[in-house]
């Protein structure tokens, strides 16, 4: 079922389907690799949950992915990275790659001296985010907004329409009123709302999605571990490429797999139902 060149799998997990935005970018750099994706749909969203609960879920999912052959695990969730990645690295003897708040590029590129950060409550309250603020954005204005309800919309398969435009508008408006010219997407679910956010924000505002940078870090790490497949190393784009390698990913969910399969197929058309499995962990 899986690519013949891989020594170990690359595991990714998120509170739900948002981490597919990272998987999509990783596919471009690592064709031919075996990926394992876990959507913790039953517990999404993580943002409002207490930190200890997010840590326990991250531990359980990581154990599951490692048992399936993951040699490196990507915490493709900003909230889980903030809450759990230190514990994961202390607990397991494999590399963990987390989401970095993309404050640095926004702060370095802004022309107005104002940036917006759209994220979950857990991410905005996390130490990694505040370290980034202190290090890279101490001399600019940062307008923060908790995107309450946005993760739930994506998890319900709603990524366009008036309802979500109105909700996005509620969060983006304060950023525009303060003259922000860059908006950081601080949740892996939000890139699936990119078109809506761009429509609401209008021209003159640039969105920063951290997924491509995380994909580059995944590539660097698996190269260091001698996990690179014979066909990796060249960035490939296009639906034909995705169709050619879709069978190198197995998808798991703690809940229903419908939205997960629908969104995955919007990236890689034609994935068989046999690659999606609900598991109870």
């Amino acid at each position: 079922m899986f690519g013949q060149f891989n020594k170990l799998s690359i595991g990714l997990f998120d509170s739900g389907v948002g981490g597919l935005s990272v998987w999509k970018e990783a596919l471009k750099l690592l064709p031919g690799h075996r990926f394992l994706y876990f959507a913790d749909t039953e517990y999404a969203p993580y943002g409002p949950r207490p930190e200890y609960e997010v840590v326990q879920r991250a531990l359980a999912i990581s154990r599951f992915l490692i048992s399936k052959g993951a040699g490196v695990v990507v915490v493709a969730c900003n909230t889980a990275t903030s809450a759990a990645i230190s514990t994961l690295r202390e607990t397991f003897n494999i590399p963990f790659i987390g989401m970095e708040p993309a404050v640095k590029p926004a702060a370095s590129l802004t022309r107005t001296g104002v940036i917006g950060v759209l994220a979950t409550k857990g991410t905005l309250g996390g130490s990694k985010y505040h370290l980034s603020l202190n290090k890279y954005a101490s001399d600019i204005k940062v307008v923060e907004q908790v995107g309450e309800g946005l993760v739930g919309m994506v998890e319900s398969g709603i990524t366009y329409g008036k309802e979500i435009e109105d909700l996005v508008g509620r969060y983006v408006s304060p950023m525009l009123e303060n003259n922000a010219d860059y908006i950081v997407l601080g949740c892996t679910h939000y890139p699936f709302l990119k078109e809506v956010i761009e429509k609401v924000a209008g021209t003159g505002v640039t969105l920063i999605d951290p997924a491509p940078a995380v994909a580059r870090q995944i590539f660097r790490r698996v190269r260091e571990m001698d996990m690179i497949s014979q066909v990796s190393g060249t960035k490939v784009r296009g639906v034909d490429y995705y169709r050619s390698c879709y069978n190198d990913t197995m998808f798991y969910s703690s809940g229903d797999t419908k939205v997960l399969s629908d969104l995955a197929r919007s990236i890689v058309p034609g994935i068989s139902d046999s690659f999606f499995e609900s598991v109870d962990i």
Side-chain angles (χ1 to χ4, degrees):
M1 177 183 293
F2 293 105
Q4 61 177 321
F5 302 126
N6 302 297
K7 300 175 182 179
L8 293 168
S9 303
I10 300 169
L12 303 95
F13 76 88
D14 180 38
S15 63
V17 300
L20 290 175
S21 62
V22 179
W23 171 70
K24 176 182 178 180
E25 296 300 323
L27 278 180
K28 297 176 183 177
L29 295 179
L30 293 159
H33 267 272
R34 180 187 181 192
F35 288 87
L36 305 169
Y37 184 90
F38 193 99
D40 201 13
T41 308
E42 189 70 17
Y43 291 85
Y46 281 168
R49 293 187 178 274
E51 184 173 296
Y52 75 87
E53 187 174 358
V54 176
V55 172
Q56 290 306 308
R57 293 307 299 161
L59 287 167
I61 294 166
S62 296
R63 288 191 188 97
F64 174 81
L65 292 172
I66 292 168
S67 75
K68 293 294 183 179
V72 57
V73 172
V74 182
V75 186
C77 172
N78 294 73
T79 301
T81 296
S82 180
I85 199 161
S86 294
T87 300
L88 295 173
R89 287 170 174 163
E90 293 168 0
T91 304
F92 302 104
N93 191 30
I94 67 166
F96 282 83
I97 297 170
M99 301 300 299
E100 290 291 335
V103 171
K104 180 180 179 180
S108 64
L109 293 170
T110 180
R111 298 176 302 277
T112 64
V114 183
I115 66 171
V117 179
L118 183 63
T120 66
K121 179 180 178 181
T123 296
L124 293 178
S127 59
K128 287 180 71 68
Y129 171 68
H130 285 280
L131 285 171
S132 292
L133 282 185
N134 292 334
K135 187 173 183 179
Y136 302 116
S138 59
D139 59 345
I140 65 169
K141 183 174 183 178
V142 180
V143 182
E144 301 171 348
Q145 287 290 311
V146 175
E148 186 175 354
L150 295 180
V151 170
M153 289 280 198
V154 176
E155 289 294 323
S156 298
I158 302 171
T159 57
Y160 61 91
K162 187 177 186 306
E163 182 181 9
I164 200 159
E165 284 183 18
D166 290 344
L167 191 58
V168 167
R170 187 189 309 171
Y171 304 135
V172 171
S173 291
M175 301 177 186
L176 302 181
E177 290 168 2
N178 281 277
N179 203 28
D181 58 350
Y182 280 84
I183 296 177
V184 176
L185 302 182
C187 173
T188 54
H189 284 75
Y190 297 167
F192 292 108
L193 303 174
K194 186 176 180 180
E195 290 185 7
V196 172
I197 299 172
E198 287 178 335
K199 179 181 178 180
V200 172
T203 58
V205 176
T206 302
L207 305 186
I208 296 188
D209 173 10
V214 174
R216 292 191 292 272
Q217 175 62 12
I218 298 169
F219 178 85
R220 287 191 290 267
R221 182 52 63 92
V222 298
R223 180 176 57 190
E224 291 168 359
M225 297 174 66
D226 195 27
M227 286 171 58
I228 297 293
S229 75
Q230 293 180 14
V231 292
S232 292
T234 301
K235 191 169 185 177
V236 186
R237 291 186 175 90
V239 171
D240 289 340
Y241 159 69
Y242 282 129
R243 286 197 181 108
S244 73
C245 69
Y246 77 82
N247 63 343
D248 284 318
T249 302
M250 187 71 191
F251 301 89
Y252 302 96
S253 174
S254 59
D256 187 81
T257 63
K258 184 183 185 308
V259 174
L260 175 62
S261 60
D262 287 348
L263 197 53
R265 286 171 180 144
S266 74
I267 298 168
V268 181
I271 307 176
S272 168
D273 287 343
S274 64
F275 289 89
F276 297 90
E277 182 181 339
S278 293
V279 294
D280 183 16
I281 65 169

